[in-house]
Amino acid sequence: MRIEETALSGVLVLTPARFGDHRGFFSESWNRRTLEEAGVHLPPFVQDNHSLSAKAGTLRGLHYQAPPSAQGKLVRCGRGALYDVAVDGRRGSETYGQWVGVELSFQNGRQLWVPPGFLHGFVTREDDTEVVYKCTGHYDRAADGAVRWDSLGIDWGVARPILSEKDRAAVPFVDWQSPFEGAA
């Protein structure tokens, strides 16, 4: 497993090894022991999510769950391609409001670890893109929140994304009251 740090402390890009031949490939996409031997200690996962976006240019985010139901997410692309973004939402953090974006695709096999306290969003690059992610907390509708996708200067690579009503109505980052404190 290749482990890359990003400009935001705690946000990691994980690329599992793939073993392939004329039939296809095998990849161990998650192995706690392998990561811990490399010095990466992630919280336990309690839920797996799987989403399908039918059209390229579908943007989902920027989403979060407030404490005590905050979630960390290990995100990967099961089919297609997407641009995945993490935004530091921890008040008092040196990188508060800063973001990183990573191309995740079926082809490259990369994964993005988004710790609790970070906003998360993605835009699909191909039709029928599937996103699969492990979560460290259960979904809690009462803790669910969103920040407006276009309020941080993120270059999503799409001028007119396909949005949900929730994402269209989200509060801009400058007006958002973060429920997260300090760097983890």
Side-chain angles (χ1 to χ4, degrees):
M1 170 109 35
R2 189 171 75 235
I3 301 165
E4 302 169 67
E5 294 183 6
T6 68
L8 300 180
S9 180
V11 177
L12 302 171
V13 178
L14 308 175
T15 308
R18 284 186 174 176
F19 305 95
D21 60 24
H22 65 281
R23 302 166 297 163
F25 72 83
F26 170 83
S27 179
E28 194 173 74
S29 62
W30 165 250
N31 185 311
R32 177 173 304 284
R33 182 176 49 218
T34 298
L35 288 172
E36 288 180 351
E37 287 172 355
V40 176
H41 300 276
L42 302 182
F45 295 111
V46 299
Q47 177 177 313
D48 277 3
N49 295 343
H50 186 156
S51 77
L52 169 70
S53 296
K55 295 292 181 190
T58 299
L59 196 150
R60 299 176 188 264
L62 299 160
H63 300 157
Y64 66 93
Q65 280 196 181
S69 298
Q71 290 180 319
K73 298 175 182 176
L74 181 61
V75 185
R76 66 184 176 90
C77 183
R79 175 173 55 166
L82 62 123
Y83 185 63
D84 204 39
V85 173
V87 178
D88 190 345
R90 303 166 301 168
R91 288 179 286 119
S93 167
E94 292 180 13
T95 55
Y96 179 74
Q98 294 180 29
W99 59 274
V100 295
V102 176
E103 293 284 340
L104 305 181
S105 70
F106 171 77
Q107 291 299 323
N108 71 24
R110 299 170 92 194
Q111 302 178 73
L112 186 66
W113 164 244
V114 181
F118 286 75
L119 310 175
H120 175 251
F122 64 84
V123 63
T124 58
R125 300 285 198 228
E126 296 179 10
D127 289 351
D128 297 320
T129 291
E130 295 185 28
V131 181
V132 182
Y133 52 103
K134 296 182 156 320
C135 299
T136 62
H138 294 102
Y139 177 72
D140 179 356
R141 184 181 302 266
D144 192 40
V147 169
R148 193 159 164 93
W149 65 277
D150 61 353
S151 63
L152 283 158
I154 298 168
D155 181 3
W156 295 98
V158 59
R160 301 175 97 171
I162 301 165
L163 300 167
S164 69
E165 287 304 315
K166 171 186 169 180
D167 291 339
R168 209 176 263 111
V171 64
F173 188 81
V174 69
D175 296 330
W176 179 57
Q177 298 295 314
S178 174
F180 305 107
E181 289 195 40

